[in-house]
Amino acid sequence: MSRKKDRRHKAILDQLSVTPTMRVSRLAEVLEVTTETIRRDLEELAAQDLISRTYGGAMLRQPMEPVLSERHKALVDERAAIGRAAVPLLSDARVLMLGSGATTTQLAKRIAFEMNNITVIAHSFSVATALAFNPTIQIVMAPGVYHSGEGALHGAQTVRFLSDYSADWSVTGASAISPLGPSDALMEAGDVYATMLRQSARHMVLADHSKFDRMATARYSDWTDVDVLVSDARPQGPLARALQVAGVELRLVSV
């Protein structure tokens, strides 16, 4: 691939990370090339599974989210490091809300080891199981409809239940993060995470580098509502600028 084409492909992906769906004519205008050139570029990016073609344009390809049991096996060191780095930020909290996922389960393991005499409101069985090793932690489980792939409870009951509580911090993972905010592959999880965020004084997102510059189905927050992002790599380009503009504190971990 020529350097010019490589730069153009990167520019297209940057544009789509800010505006997830764009038409060929708009991309050609922004990049100052012909629509024929953009169409060829989009076909090549689609062949690499980086985008999906739409009628007259393209959108960022949404990542396929493996079931939780498979996610527990991937990027274990990175997720464990993210969990370790997140705990000190929560040291003054008395009440936490924790979302589901492999990285939040790693966080729950560290919380059980390092924190005492707190209340954690959860909707994930793997999170609750990890916390249960510490008898001083009170675990409050939200009710709802069980999702077997995620090992968590979702739905209207879950949202109503969480709405009756408040927390010092809420902490969630994400299937994807883009300049527009964190998102989840499950719409039901997105509803739960958005409620946790509304009911907490501060909010933290945990996401490893594989989630960068992607969009998933349910965006549950703007970056302006997120206080801290903990990750194993530094975001670049439009994502980095969006975090800076929103005033999100970035905590990086080394693995």
Side-chain angles (χ1 to χ4, degrees):
M1 183 186 297
S2 70
R3 287 186 177 181
K4 183 181 292 187
K5 182 188 289 188
D6 186 51
R7 288 195 296 269
R8 200 166 60 242
H9 283 190
K10 184 179 184 305
I12 290 171
L13 293 173
D14 284 347
Q15 288 294 322
L16 290 173
S17 72
V18 177
T19 308
T21 300
M22 293 187 72
R23 297 189 64 80
V24 168
S25 57
R26 179 57 181 158
L27 282 167
E29 179 183 345
V30 172
L31 273 62
E32 298 181 339
V33 295
T34 66
T35 55
E36 289 77 12
T37 296
I38 290 295
R39 288 191 181 93
R40 286 195 298 270
D41 289 339
L42 295 181
E43 292 299 331
E44 292 176 10
L45 289 168
Q48 298 172 49
D49 286 334
L50 294 173
I51 66 168
S52 297
R53 290 302 310 272
T54 62
Y55 182 75
M59 66 182 295
L60 274 184
R61 194 173 186 86
Q62 294 186 359
M64 293 296 293
E65 183 83 334
V67 296
L68 184 62
S69 59
E70 291 300 315
R71 302 206 307 276
H72 278 308
K73 303 173 186 176
L75 299 170
V76 175
D77 291 341
E78 290 84 351
R79 287 168 168 160
I82 289 170
R84 286 194 301 271
V87 170
L89 301 173
L90 307 173
S91 60
D92 293 334
R94 300 270 56 89
V95 180
L96 302 173
M97 289 186 179
L98 297 187
S100 63
T103 311
T104 47
T105 299
Q106 291 288 345
L107 170 64
K109 292 177 180 179
R110 297 306 305 180
I111 288 173
F113 184 71
E114 297 186 32
M115 299 180 72
N116 293 299
N117 301 310
I118 60 171
T119 297
V120 179
I121 302 168
H123 71 124
S124 160
F125 285 99
S126 66
V127 165
T129 300
L131 294 168
F133 284 96
N134 185 333
T136 75
I137 296 177
Q138 181 181 50
I139 305 164
V140 180
M141 281 297 291
V145 178
Y146 180 67
H147 188 287
S148 59
E150 190 65 17
L153 298 155
H154 301 125
Q157 274 186 304
T158 314
V159 169
R160 283 198 299 270
F161 179 87
L162 293 172
S163 297
D164 287 335
Y165 291 85
S166 60
D168 302 302
W169 277 93
S170 57
V171 186
T172 59
S175 301
I177 60 174
S178 79
L180 299 178
S183 55
D184 199 89
L186 293 175
M187 289 186 286
E188 302 93 329
D191 290 339
V192 171
Y193 296 169
T195 305
M196 287 183 168
L197 189 145
R198 287 195 299 270
Q199 300 303 118
S200 59
R202 304 192 73 191
H203 185 73
M204 183 189 305
V205 173
L206 311 180
D208 64 74
H209 66 278
S210 69
K211 311 300 177 63
F212 289 3
D213 299 311
R214 309 289 285 180
M215 285 285 290
T217 305
R219 183 169 64 90
Y220 62 85
S221 174
D222 298 322
W223 287 120
T224 52
D225 294 321
V226 175
D227 295 283
V228 181
L229 169 65
V230 185
S231 186
D232 62 330
R234 185 177 296 278
Q236 303 294 324
L239 176 56
R241 290 193 291 274
L243 294 171
Q244 184 177 19
V245 169
V248 177
E249 179 184 352
L250 179 63
R251 288 293 181 102
L252 295 177
V253 304
S254 57
V255 181

